[in-house]
Amino acid sequence: SSDLSRARTKRGRARETMVHANARGAMHEAVVRAVHGFKGGMAAAAAAGRDAAARAAKGLARDEDVMSVKEVVAYLNMVMFPRQSEEDVFCARPGFVMMYDLTPLKRAAPTTKKPPASKFEGDNGRVKVDRGPSASASGASTDGGDRSAAPAPSGAVTAPRATATSGATISPHMEKLELALQETMDSALLAEEAQSKLEALLAKEQKLQSELAATKVPQVKLDFSDMPSFELDAEAREYKGDPDDRREILAHRKRIEKESDRLAVAKEKWIAGRRKEAKQAAKVQANATRNVKLSALRGEIAQAKKAVQQTFSVATSHAKKLERLRSRATAAQQHEAELASRKREAEAYRAQQQQERAAKKSKIQLEREAQKLQDAERKLKEAEQRAKVRAEAARYPMDDNELVAYDAAQAKEQNRDPWPAVANGTAWKPSVVDVSQMQICEFFSTFGRILTPSVDEFGVEYLNTILDDSDLTKLSKLYVSLLRVAVTTTTYGIEALVKTWSDALEFSGTFPEIMKQFAKEKSRVGQIDAVTLSTINALTEKRIGMFTPEEHTRVLDWLCGECFEAPEVNKEVNRRVKALEDLSKEKESDKAIENAFEKEYKKLAPQLRDANALVKNASDELIQKVQAHEALITLPQSDVEVPTELQSDVRAFLEARSLLKETEAKKNEIAAQAAKRRRQFQEERIRSNCLGQDRNGTKYYWNLSYSSGALLAIHVDGTWSKLTTEQQLREWSKSLNTKGIREHRLHKNVAEIRAELVAAFRQAELEAMNAFPKSSQRTKVERWNEIAARETLSMEGAKRIIQLLMADVVNYEVSAPDGTMSGWRIWGRELEKTTELTEMIRYLMQIEEAMVEMCDLPRDVTAKDANGSAINASNERLMASHEWWELIIPSDEKKAGKRLWRTNQERAIWQEAMSTSDTYARIAYGAAMLESYSRPLFEFLENIKKRAKRESSRFADYTSYDDGYDSYGQRT
């Protein structure tokens, strides 16, 4: 079955090829018949030929592609003689005239010399055609012109030319073309003969069949002897049912009638079949001779069809071969014509280039001469300008005061106004409190991070906010951090007291009492002004929460000044001085890098300008190309092949963008490094950063006291002014004369931070617009004093210290005031709830009593006056007037381990000071003293406890070791 299918497929393909060849042949014939004898141009002839081909294809009822105009022109160039002019008619070549039985036409003699004639003779010897100059297509064009100057149309067959350029290319193809054309014509004649023979046989067959159809059949007598019976028998007609069932009887009758009708129809059909068979037999008998002839004729027709198929197959193969050779010849002619055209174009282009180069050379020569004159004039002017600039540069920058006088003289000489005065901005008259607050903020902004506890930078606004804090939650942090450093400046002779102060400052609420004691120590050496001392001494009559903002500012300013004498601050200053020196060296290195970049940037200025223009003015098409290239680069190399060579415009765009990015990155890197250096200088500064001075000696500060919303100016006469808007900053910058030494440096420093200045001005303006009205609790004096009198910090601090002491006492199993150990729990809860000063004193006395029970008794040197005051008695004996804390200043000598007080007199003074206290601050400080004094005691007890634990553990180890042996000393 597969072999049969392949054979059928092959026969179908051969049949389809034959049909296609027949259709193309019909269209070729229609074109030749339509154009042979046509008079007109090639375009009109091609149109007529295409219409004829379309009609031929339509007549065949085939869906073949109709020949295009281009194909028709190519075919006409092959089958028609070339014309000498438009007046000549189209004349088919002799082979096609004979093939299609056309009327021979007389054509005009060619003007060119005829090539020698050649003779071709068919293989069968029956066809012999003269193939002289008309046997092949001429080199002339269809309109009579010379075709060597233009490429031939597709499909044209060209003959050899007498010229030296085309003969070498076309001659090898002409002989093959002539042979292929002769073969095609011969095979076409054979196919035509086979087709004619087939048509004659078919006509003869048709005539014979007509004779057979016209033959009369003689009358035939039919034989019905063998006809079967078509009648019903009596048994089938007999009714055997119920005679009384009328319905059944009627149904029986209908069956009999139906069966009778069927038998009658069957009889008629049998008789008709017998009559047909008789007629056919008679007809065969009458046409026996003709049938024999028809059978023989059909055999001949089959052989003729086979011959037609074979001849048409050969003709088709020859036609295809001719088409291939014709295409090659046409391509060769086109290539030759193209080479000749290119040669002529190249020669013309070279001539034009020579002319242009000559003209350009003369133009360049003229331009060079003109440019030399211009360069000479320009160099002369530049030399004069450089000399003038050098003279000016040698003068600038000059001293600002000298510059004012020089500018005034120049203005008078040049008849212009002198340089304007420096814009001052908005006048501002700060008070003493404002200046003190700025100094406080500046101190904490500079050294706040080295204090304990550390304090972050803050401005005057924040300071004013916490000065209105009645419970001193935030303000106490400033006091404690300053006191921790300031007290270290009075260590000579009172090291133990300073240590007690430092220990007490670990607890909140003790700093008011410590500050009074520290101020008195400073007054003895004259290191505190009278106003500040009186402000601090007022704490004996009022609470520190009742201080006004001015009083707080005065005290904080004094403490900041005392901190400058502290070793810790001096050490930090020395460190920062060294760090600033290192930063200055690094800044010089950065400056060298910046200068080198500026020189390189000036050299690259033209390239950067062109690159910027190229990137900015890039078309959408170019941007899409660049994006497509970048998308290819991002894909994996295994997915797509990235082209190694880019288009020139894409490469130029990428290089320009890369140059701009690299330059911008370098600028940003230098700017970031400069900003980093400024931050480092700001972090390591030891005083307020002055931006510079103007010609009048005015000093300018920004971010002073951590307030960046204004550029402050301090004039030489002590007055102040400030710039708070961008407009004021712009006018002030214009008024600076950068030819002066000081103003040049000032302008440069401000230019470096100009963006930050403008942003700070805008932020300050926005905050001022959106700020809510400030309210202060100080307007309600009674309520304020009531809150301040509570001394919340001191009270909580005292409770905290007493609780810590209670934990230490409980740890060593000392009984509570009620005589039990469990009483400490109730005692602690009651302490937490109490808010009364007298109760707090009672708890402090009880915890001190419990601690005294744990240690050795102090030396008995008690002395009291008639009123029972140990303080007055001590002052009488010393013939002085000391505070209570001065009478019990701890000695710098090491105290005995198991002793809280050295003498009963110290204990009595402390108890009297605590019992007569009217402030929580003193109670908190007294508890802190007790905690500081008890540290050696608890350390001594802890050491004893550790030794006892070591001895007991050593005995236990010995016991376990002895248990490992029996009575004989053997290990068990």
Side-chain angles (χ1 to χ4, degrees):
S1 61
S2 60
D3 295 340
L4 181 60
S5 176
R6 282 196 296 271
R8 289 177 179 175
T9 303
K10 188 179 295 183
R11 285 197 298 272
R13 290 176 181 174
R15 190 182 301 109
E16 184 67 24
T17 303
M18 189 65 188
V19 171
H20 178 72
N22 292 339
R24 299 295 290 185
M27 286 189 285
H28 288 170
E29 181 179 356
V31 170
V32 174
R33 290 182 181 279
V35 178
H36 180 66
F38 184 83
K39 186 177 183 179
M42 175 58 77
R50 190 182 185 283
D51 294 340
R55 288 193 300 272
K58 185 176 181 181
L60 293 174
R62 292 284 298 172
D63 295 334
E64 300 291 337
D65 293 335
V66 182
M67 296 174 65
S68 63
V69 176
K70 187 176 180 181
E71 292 176 341
V72 171
V73 171
Y75 188 67
L76 289 179
N77 288 329
M78 182 181 73
V79 302
M80 297 293 170
F81 281 114
R83 299 182 302 160
Q84 303 300 322
S85 65
E86 290 289 343
E87 300 298 329
D88 296 342
V89 297
F90 285 88
C91 182
R93 297 183 184 277
F96 295 97
V97 172
M98 291 187 297
M99 182 184 298
Y100 300 129
D101 195 17
L102 302 176
T103 302
L105 298 177
K106 184 179 181 179
R107 68 185 185 92
T111 57
T112 58
K113 184 179 180 180
K114 300 180 181 179
S118 59
K119 302 256 182 201
F120 293 93
E121 187 173 351
D123 295 335
N124 54 9
R126 294 183 298 118
V127 180
K128 186 175 183 180
V129 184
D130 186 4
R131 306 302 291 173
S134 62
S136 61
S138 172
S141 65
T142 57
D143 54 0
D146 188 2
R147 296 183 54 189
S148 62
S154 175
V157 181
T158 58
R161 302 283 296 186
T163 59
T165 58
S166 62
T169 305
I170 304 300
S171 295
H173 297 278
M174 289 309 303
E175 185 177 356
K176 295 180 180 180
L177 280 172
E178 296 291 348
L179 292 174
L181 180 60
Q182 182 64 36
E183 289 179 354
T184 303
M185 294 175 63
D186 293 345
S187 59
L189 289 176
L190 292 176
E192 185 68 23
E193 291 177 358
Q195 183 68 26
S196 300
K197 183 178 179 181
L198 177 62
E199 291 176 356
L201 292 175
L202 290 175
K204 191 174 180 181
E205 181 188 14
Q206 185 177 4
K207 181 179 179 182
L208 189 58
Q209 287 180 351
S210 300
E211 291 177 357
L212 288 173
T215 302
K216 294 184 179 180
V217 181
Q219 196 72 21
V220 180
K221 184 178 179 180
L222 300 178
D223 183 14
F224 298 110
S225 59
D226 57 345
M227 182 176 66
S229 177
F230 292 99
E231 298 292 337
L232 288 174
D233 54 2
E235 186 179 359
R237 292 179 178 275
E238 182 182 0
Y239 175 69
K240 298 180 181 181
D242 187 3
D244 296 330
D245 191 351
R246 181 177 179 80
R247 181 178 297 177
E248 186 67 25
I249 293 172
L250 292 176
H252 178 68
R253 290 178 181 176
K254 287 183 179 181
R255 286 196 296 272
I256 292 175
E257 292 175 358
K258 186 175 181 181
E259 185 66 19
S260 298
D261 293 340
R262 186 185 68 77
L263 290 174
V265 171
K267 183 178 180 181
E268 292 177 357
K269 186 181 294 185
W270 188 89
I271 293 172
R274 177 56 59 89
R275 185 179 290 112
K276 184 177 180 181
E277 290 176 358
K279 286 183 179 181
Q280 186 70 20
K283 187 175 182 180
V284 169
Q285 186 177 2
N287 296 324
T289 304
R290 291 188 181 89
N291 287 333
V292 172
K293 291 181 180 181
L294 181 61
S295 177
L297 185 60
R298 285 177 177 172
E300 293 179 2
I301 289 173
Q303 293 179 359
K305 286 183 178 181
K306 186 175 181 181
V308 167
Q309 291 179 356
Q310 292 176 354
T311 55
F312 268 98
S313 176
V314 173
T316 302
S317 63
H318 288 169
K320 291 181 178 179
K321 180 180 179 181
L322 177 63
E323 182 68 20
R324 289 194 298 270
L325 293 174
R326 181 183 56 78
S327 299
R328 294 173 185 172
T330 303
Q333 184 181 10
Q334 290 177 352
H335 180 66
E336 180 187 1
E338 185 177 357
L339 290 178
S341 176
R342 288 181 181 178
K343 184 177 181 180
R344 288 191 298 272
E345 291 176 358
E347 291 175 354
Y349 179 73
R350 283 195 295 271
Q352 182 182 358
Q353 288 291 320
Q354 289 177 358
Q355 295 176 359
E356 291 179 356
R357 281 196 295 269
K360 186 176 181 180
K361 186 176 181 181
S362 61
K363 182 179 179 181
I364 291 174
Q365 188 67 24
L366 294 176
E367 290 178 352
R368 284 178 180 175
E369 294 177 358
Q371 186 66 29
K372 287 180 180 179
L373 295 176
Q374 294 178 2
D375 291 344
E377 295 177 357
R378 179 177 53 81
K379 288 180 180 179
L380 182 59
K381 291 181 180 179
E382 288 179 353
E384 294 175 355
Q385 185 67 22
R386 283 196 298 270
K388 186 177 179 180
V389 170
R390 281 196 297 269
E392 291 291 330
R395 182 178 294 109
Y396 303 115
M398 64 169 58
D399 184 72
D400 295 80
N401 296 328
E402 296 177 1
L403 179 62
V404 173
Y406 177 77
D407 181 72
Q410 289 289 318
K412 186 176 181 180
E413 180 181 346
Q414 299 173 5
N415 195 18
R416 62 172 176 83
D417 294 334
W419 196 270
V422 179
N424 294 327
T426 305
W428 182 47
K429 187 177 182 180
S431 63
V432 177
V433 175
D434 293 333
V435 176
S436 298
Q437 290 181 351
M438 292 172 64
Q439 292 176 352
I440 295 168
C441 296
E442 193 65 22
F443 177 83
F444 279 105
S445 299
T446 306
F447 300 104
R449 295 188 180 276
I450 68 169
L451 303 178
T452 305
S454 63
V455 181
D456 295 332
E457 298 89 346
F458 60 86
V460 176
E461 294 182 357
Y462 176 79
L463 179 60
N464 287 324
T465 301
I466 63 176
L467 289 178
D468 278 340
D469 190 7
S470 59
D471 57 0
L472 303 178
T473 303
K474 299 177 181 178
L475 192 59
S476 63
K477 184 178 180 181
L478 303 184
Y479 276 112
V480 171
S481 61
L482 292 175
L483 281 171
R484 279 184 177 274
V485 178
V487 296
T488 59
T489 61
T490 59
T491 57
Y492 182 74
I494 53 171
E495 288 83 356
L497 178 60
V498 172
K499 184 179 182 305
T500 303
W501 286 343
S502 299
D503 295 341
L505 286 173
E506 295 179 2
F507 303 99
S508 62
T510 60
F511 68 91
E513 188 70 21
I514 297 172
M515 189 165 58
K516 286 195 303 181
Q517 300 175 15
F518 176 66
K520 187 168 184 179
E521 287 294 329
K522 282 296 181 179
S523 66
R524 292 176 179 174
V525 294
Q527 294 182 355
I528 184 172
D529 59 283
V531 179
T532 305
L533 181 60
S534 63
T535 301
I536 297 176
N537 288 335
L539 290 174
T540 58
E541 300 176 358
K542 62 180 181 180
R543 309 296 181 264
I544 193 170
M546 298 177 183
F547 274 6
T548 62
E550 292 77 11
E551 292 174 335
H552 280 301
T553 301
R554 188 180 301 114
V555 175
L556 289 173
D557 188 19
W558 169 71
L559 288 175
C560 290
E562 292 297 323
C563 288
F564 280 113
E565 303 297 331
E568 184 178 356
V569 175
N570 289 329
K571 181 179 179 182
E572 177 65 16
V573 169
N574 294 333
R575 186 196 68 79
R576 293 192 180 189
V577 168
K578 181 65 171 58
L580 290 173
E581 291 177 357
D582 297 339
L583 288 175
S584 299
K585 295 178 182 178
E586 294 176 359
K587 186 177 181 181
E588 292 178 359
S589 176
D590 295 342
K591 188 63 178 178
I593 296 174
E594 184 178 356
N595 293 336
F597 174 74
E598 289 179 356
K599 292 181 180 178
E600 183 181 358
Y601 187 81
K602 290 180 180 179
K603 293 180 181 179
L604 294 175
Q607 299 181 20
L608 292 173
R609 185 166 53 252
D610 296 341
N612 190 23
L614 175 61
V615 173
K616 187 177 295 184
N617 301 327
S619 62
D620 296 340
E621 182 180 0
L622 178 58
I623 293 176
Q624 292 177 0
K625 289 181 181 179
V626 174
Q627 292 176 351
H629 174 71
E630 292 175 345
L632 287 177
I633 294 176
T634 56
L635 293 176
Q637 295 182 357
S638 58
D639 295 345
V640 65
E641 182 178 357
V642 181
T644 56
E645 295 186 0
L646 300 176
Q647 299 180 5
S648 58
D649 53 351
V650 176
R651 184 185 299 106
F653 181 87
L654 293 175
E655 291 176 355
R657 191 176 64 178
S658 177
L659 178 61
L660 291 176
K661 285 184 177 180
E662 290 177 0
T663 307
E664 189 66 23
K666 188 65 176 178
K667 288 174 62 178
N668 294 337
E669 181 181 356
I670 292 175
Q673 185 67 13
K676 178 183 177 181
R677 292 289 178 234
R678 287 198 297 271
R679 290 195 301 270
Q680 291 176 342
F681 274 102
Q682 179 68 17
E683 293 173 357
E684 300 294 342
R685 63 193 178 95
I686 56 177
R687 60 175 62 87
S688 303
N689 290 333
C690 180
L691 296 175
Q693 301 180 21
D694 60 12
R695 71 194 76 156
N696 302 320
T698 303
K699 296 181 180 180
Y700 292 88
Y701 296 89
W702 180 64
N703 210 9
L704 188 63
S705 305
Y706 211 69
S707 299
S708 59
L711 181 63
L712 299 178
I714 304 177
H715 303 274
V716 292
D717 58 356
T719 60
W720 292 59
S721 63
K722 56 184 177 180
L723 308 174
T724 56
T725 64
E726 187 176 359
Q727 179 65 23
Q728 289 179 345
L729 180 63
R730 191 180 301 110
E731 294 176 355
W732 174 79
S733 298
K734 290 181 180 180
S735 66
L736 295 178
N737 192 344
T738 56
K739 296 180 180 179
I741 297 175
R742 287 180 293 180
E743 292 191 4
H744 174 76
R745 187 181 300 112
L746 174 62
H747 186 274
K748 181 181 178 181
N749 292 337
V750 173
E752 291 179 352
I753 60 172
R754 182 179 182 83
E756 301 177 24
L757 271 172
V758 173
F761 289 171
R762 293 175 181 175
Q763 182 66 24
E765 184 178 0
L766 182 63
E767 291 177 356
M769 291 173 59
N770 299 330
F772 291 100
K774 293 183 179 180
S775 61
S776 176
Q777 298 180 2
R778 291 184 181 273
T779 55
K780 302 176 182 180
V781 180
E782 295 181 358
R783 177 61 177 168
W784 180 273
N785 292 335
E786 180 184 353
I787 295 174
R790 295 175 184 173
E791 296 184 278
T792 305
L793 282 177
S794 299
M795 181 177 63
E796 295 299 329
K799 288 182 180 180
R800 174 61 178 162
I801 299 170
I802 295 173
Q803 288 174 348
L804 292 175
L805 294 174
M806 180 190 71
D808 290 335
V809 170
V810 171
N811 189 31
Y812 292 99
E813 299 181 357
V814 178
S815 301
D818 62 355
T820 62
M821 288 299 298
S822 60
W824 285 116
R825 188 179 296 107
I826 301 173
W827 190 84
R829 286 199 298 266
E830 292 177 352
L831 170 65
E832 187 66 29
K833 295 178 182 179
T834 185
T835 58
E836 296 294 332
L837 181 61
T838 56
E839 289 295 315
M840 190 65 68
I841 294 173
R842 181 174 65 84
Y843 284 112
L844 181 60
M845 294 299 182
Q846 290 177 354
I847 197 66
E848 189 269 343
E849 185 67 28
M851 294 171 64
V852 169
E853 294 179 3
M854 298 171 58
C855 61
D856 296 336
L857 294 177
R859 289 184 290 112
D860 189 9
V861 290
T862 306
K864 295 183 179 181
D865 62 358
N867 297 325
S869 174
I871 298 175
N872 293 336
S874 298
N875 283 328
E876 289 177 0
R877 187 180 64 180
L878 297 174
M879 293 182 295
S881 179
H882 294 294
E883 297 285 344
W884 66 272
W885 55 272
E886 295 178 283
L887 299 174
I888 57 173
I889 292 177
S891 174
D892 294 338
E893 299 177 357
K894 187 175 181 181
K895 191 176 7 179
K898 199 176 180 183
R899 182 175 294 175
L900 182 62
W901 303 103
R902 289 178 298 177
T903 63
N904 287 338
Q905 185 70 12
E906 288 183 356
R907 182 184 182 193
I909 293 172
W910 180 85
Q911 289 178 343
E912 181 181 350
M914 296 299 106
S915 60
T916 59
S917 173
D918 57 352
T919 61
Y920 279 105
R922 179 180 291 185
I923 298 300
Y925 178 70
M929 288 179 61
L930 200 61
E931 194 275 338
S932 178
Y933 289 179
S934 64
R935 288 182 183 179
L937 170 63
F938 289 116
E939 289 177 1
F940 177 78
L941 296 176
E942 183 66 21
N943 291 333
I944 294 175
K945 192 173 182 180
K946 288 180 179 179
R947 285 197 299 270
K949 183 177 181 180
R950 285 198 299 269
E951 292 177 356
S952 61
S953 61
R954 187 183 302 114
F955 178 76
D957 292 340
Y958 289 159
T959 304
S960 61
Y961 184 80
D962 184 64
D963 290 343
Y965 296 88
D966 56 11
S967 57
Y968 297 100
Q970 300 295 327
R971 180 181 293 275
T972 60

